[in-house]
Amino acid sequence: MKLYLKIWRQTNADSNGSFQNYEIDEITPDMSFLEMMDVLNEKLIIEGVDPVAFDHDCREGICGSCSLFINGRAHGPDTGITTCQLHMRKFQDGDSIVIEPFRASSFPVIKDLVVDRTSFDRIQHAGGYISINTSGNTQDANTIPIRKEDADNAFDAATCIGCGACVATCKNASAMLFVSAKVSQFSYLPQGQVEAKDRVLNMVKQMDEEGFGNCTNTGACEVECPKGISIKNIARMNKEFLKAKL
Ligand code: FES
């Protein structure tokens, strides 16, 4: 496959970026999108050009590091996957592909396609801990009865990998889907009740301080989330927040 790439290049956080055009050949449909980027970077290095910086780690949809906006969509043209799980078979020979970083003022660009998502880390830190009695024998997890539906909902919320696709997709750059997933994964479980009030208040406060926008229920975040996190979690977080405030 021959491809025409239009990639956002930016030297550092303080410089103005711009799109640069690249042509790349000998890409096979079985390559992953990031392998295609590797091929491009090898070519650029041989030509003495600075390779394109992009985030990645596990390359199997687990860590949430990869974060590319491809042809106007977070994680590209497929659904339910991360950028590292996207394959070149989703494109045609001769295609033009526009590749940008996740854009949001709370995710400043560090270099090229790499953005600073430590705002998510600070929100999670604000959520604090859960109290567990660790004295004596280790407690068997099965001694605490939990409704199957609650356990499933908590697990579904916990599958959020914090990639930031929800923020990059939302017209308000809202982080409500991410934060609500982190609140919900504990709020469904008895272990999460002890610090429930402080957790939701502190996380929402930190989210606002980081400059994320509010939710206006467009639902784009749910559509583009690689893990299918439901916007029902946002309703749950709002309920938890109101309960804590009152
Ligand atoms: S590199 Fe880990 S999810 Fe893509």
Side-chain angles (χ1 to χ4, degrees):
M1 296 166 77
K2 182 169 184 174
L3 298 164
Y4 300 91
L5 307 176
K6 194 172 183 180
I7 302 179
W8 184 260
R9 303 298 313 258
Q10 188 171 333
T11 310
N12 55 46
D14 300 323
S15 62
N16 289 327
S18 63
F19 281 107
Q20 301 291 324
N21 295 315
Y22 302 95
E23 281 183 26
I24 190 164
D25 220 336
E26 296 178 1
I27 298 299
T28 68
D30 294 330
M31 281 183 183
S32 73
F33 197 85
L34 296 188
E35 283 168 341
M36 182 276 292
M37 295 294 290
D38 291 338
V39 172
L40 171 70
N41 276 346
E42 281 172 16
K43 183 170 172 273
L44 294 180
I45 290 167
I46 290 167
E47 292 169 357
V49 178
D50 192 24
V52 180
F54 62 93
D55 255 336
H56 61 99
D57 190 3
C58 71
R59 294 201 177 201
E60 48 189 25
I62 298 169
C63 70
S65 297
C66 57
S67 52
L68 301 182
F69 218 69
I70 302 163
N71 285 348
R73 289 187 63 186
H75 296 303
D78 217 338
T79 50
I81 59 162
T82 53
T83 300
C84 60
Q85 295 173 298
L86 178 64
H87 281 83
M88 297 314 294
R89 66 181 77 100
K90 282 284 164 187
F91 300 91
Q92 304 290 325
D93 183 37
D95 269 1
S96 295
I97 307 176
V98 180
I99 308 167
E100 301 171 74
F102 278 4
R103 296 195 189 276
S105 57
S106 304
F107 288 167
V109 173
I110 296 172
K111 183 175 167 74
D112 296 336
L113 304 171
V114 179
V115 298
D116 180 354
R117 284 172 288 177
T118 52
S119 48
F120 269 16
D121 297 339
R122 290 187 290 273
I123 292 170
Q124 289 200 90
H125 292 170
Y129 50 83
I130 59 166
S131 291
I132 294 283
N133 186 359
T134 55
S135 62
N137 292 334
T138 309
Q139 196 178 9
D140 186 336
N142 292 325
T143 57
I144 306 171
I146 298 169
R147 276 199 328 146
K148 170 88 169 71
E149 196 184 332
D150 289 341
D152 288 349
N153 286 334
F155 186 82
D156 286 348
T159 59
C160 167
I161 55 175
C163 65
C166 48
V167 174
T169 298
C170 176
K171 63 177 181 172
N172 309 318
S174 170
M176 294 278 270
L177 193 69
F178 164 76
V179 181
S180 68
K182 299 303 170 194
V183 167
S184 292
Q185 70 183 18
F186 294 119
S187 76
Y188 278 109
L189 302 175
Q191 295 94 328
Q193 300 313 309
V194 184
E195 291 87 12
K197 183 179 162 188
D198 290 339
R199 180 180 305 116
V200 68
L201 293 178
N202 291 339
M203 290 181 90
V204 169
K205 181 170 175 281
Q206 189 66 37
M207 174 180 77
D208 291 342
E209 284 176 11
E210 296 291 346
F212 291 104
N214 213 335
C215 172
T216 48
N217 292 312
T218 56
C221 53
E222 182 183 78
V223 173
E224 296 293 20
C225 173
K227 297 298 169 186
I229 301 292
S230 168
I231 55 173
K232 280 192 280 187
N233 287 302
I234 296 178
R236 186 170 183 90
M237 181 175 78
N238 287 338
K239 184 178 129 193
E240 290 287 317
F241 183 80
L242 276 175
K243 210 166 67 179
K245 273 284 186 196
L246 291 172

Coordinates of all heavy atoms in Angstrom, one line a residue, residues 34 55-67 75 82-85 161 163 227, ligand 1:
L34 N 0.4 1.6 14.4 CA 1.7 2.0 15.0 C 2.9 1.4 14.3 O 4.0 2.1 14.3 CB 1.7 1.7 16.5 CG 0.6 2.4 17.4 CD1 0.8 2.1 18.8 CD2 0.6 3.9 17.1
D55 N 2.9 8.5 21.4 CA 2.8 7.7 22.6 C 2.4 6.3 22.4 O 1.5 6.0 21.6 CB 1.7 8.3 23.6 CG 2.4 9.1 24.7 OD1 3.5 8.8 25.1 OD2 1.7 10.0 25.3
H56 N 3.0 5.4 23.1 CA 2.6 3.9 23.0 C 3.3 3.2 24.1 O 4.3 3.7 24.6 CB 2.9 3.3 21.7 CG 4.4 3.3 21.4 ND1 5.2 2.2 21.6 CD2 5.2 4.3 21.0 CE1 6.5 2.5 21.3 NE2 6.5 3.8 20.9
D57 N 2.7 2.1 24.5 CA 3.4 1.2 25.5 C 3.1 -0.2 25.2 O 3.8 -1.0 24.6 CB 3.0 1.7 26.9 CG 3.9 1.0 28.0 OD1 4.8 0.2 27.6 OD2 3.7 1.2 29.2
C58 N 1.9 -0.7 25.7 CA 1.6 -2.1 25.6 C 1.3 -2.6 24.2 O 1.6 -3.7 23.9 CB 0.3 -2.4 26.5 SG -1.2 -1.7 25.8
R59 N 0.8 -1.7 23.4 CA 0.4 -2.1 22.0 C -0.6 -3.2 22.0 O -0.6 -4.0 21.0 CB 1.6 -2.4 21.1 CG 2.5 -1.1 20.9 CD 3.4 -1.2 19.7 NE 4.1 0.0 19.5 CZ 4.7 0.4 18.4 NH1 4.5 -0.4 17.3 NH2 5.3 1.5 18.3
E60 N -1.4 -3.4 23.0 CA -2.5 -4.4 23.0 C -3.8 -3.9 23.6 O -4.5 -4.7 24.2 CB -2.0 -5.7 23.5 CG -1.3 -5.7 24.8 CD -0.7 -7.0 25.2 OE1 -0.4 -7.8 24.3 OE2 -0.5 -7.2 26.4
G61 N -4.0 -2.6 23.6 CA -5.3 -2.1 24.1 C -5.5 -2.0 25.6 O -6.6 -2.0 26.1
I62 N -4.4 -2.1 26.4 CA -4.5 -2.2 27.8 C -4.1 -0.9 28.6 O -4.8 -0.5 29.5 CB -3.6 -3.4 28.4 CG1 -4.1 -4.7 27.8 CG2 -3.7 -3.4 29.9 CD1 -3.2 -5.9 28.0
C63 N -3.0 -0.3 28.1 CA -2.4 0.8 29.0 C -3.1 2.1 28.7 O -3.0 3.0 29.6 CB -0.9 0.8 28.7 SG -0.5 1.5 27.1
G64 N -3.6 2.4 27.6 CA -4.2 3.7 27.3 C -3.2 4.8 26.9 O -3.6 5.9 26.8
S65 N -2.0 4.3 26.6 CA -1.0 5.3 26.2 C -1.2 5.9 24.8 O -1.0 7.1 24.5 CB 0.4 4.7 26.2 OG 0.7 4.3 27.5
C66 N -1.6 5.0 23.8 CA -1.7 5.5 22.5 C -2.9 6.4 22.3 O -3.9 6.2 22.9 CB -1.8 4.3 21.5 SG -3.1 3.2 21.8
S67 N -2.7 7.5 21.6 CA -3.7 8.5 21.6 C -3.6 9.4 20.3 O -3.2 10.5 20.4 CB -3.5 9.5 22.8 OG -2.1 9.9 22.8
H75 N -8.7 7.5 17.9 CA -8.3 6.1 17.7 C -8.7 5.6 16.3 O -8.7 4.4 16.0 CB -8.9 5.2 18.7 CG -8.4 5.4 20.1 ND1 -7.1 5.4 20.5 CD2 -9.1 5.7 21.3 CE1 -6.9 5.6 21.8 NE2 -8.1 5.8 22.3
T82 N -8.3 0.7 20.5 CA -7.4 1.8 20.6 C -6.6 1.9 19.3 O -6.6 1.0 18.5 CB -6.4 1.5 21.8 OG1 -5.9 0.2 21.6 CG2 -7.2 1.5 23.1
T83 N -5.8 3.0 19.3 CA -5.0 3.2 18.1 C -4.0 2.0 17.8 O -3.8 1.6 16.7 CB -4.1 4.5 18.3 OG1 -5.0 5.6 18.4 CG2 -3.2 4.7 17.0
C84 N -3.5 1.4 18.9 CA -2.5 0.3 18.7 C -3.2 -0.9 18.2 O -2.6 -1.8 17.7 CB -1.8 0.1 20.0 SG -2.8 -0.4 21.4
Q85 N -4.5 -1.0 18.3 CA -5.3 -2.2 17.8 C -5.8 -2.0 16.4 O -6.4 -2.9 15.8 CB -6.4 -2.5 18.8 CG -6.0 -2.9 20.1 CD -7.2 -3.1 21.1 OE1 -7.9 -2.1 21.4 NE2 -7.4 -4.3 21.6
I161 N -9.4 2.7 30.5 CA -8.0 2.7 30.5 C -7.4 4.2 30.5 O -6.2 4.3 30.4 CB -7.4 2.0 29.3 CG1 -8.0 2.5 28.0 CG2 -7.7 0.5 29.4 CD1 -7.4 1.9 26.7
C163 N -7.5 6.7 28.4 CA -6.7 7.1 27.2 C -7.0 8.6 26.9 O -6.2 9.2 26.3 CB -7.1 6.2 26.0 SG -8.8 6.3 25.5
K227 N -13.3 1.3 25.1 CA -13.8 0.3 26.1 C -15.3 0.3 26.3 O -15.8 -0.4 27.1 CB -13.1 0.4 27.4 CG -11.6 0.3 27.4 CD -11.2 -1.1 26.9 CE -9.7 -1.2 26.6 NZ -9.3 -2.5 26.0
Ligands
FES1 S1 -0.3 1.3 23.5 FE1 -1.4 0.5 25.3 S2 -3.4 0.8 24.8 FE2 -2.4 1.4 22.9

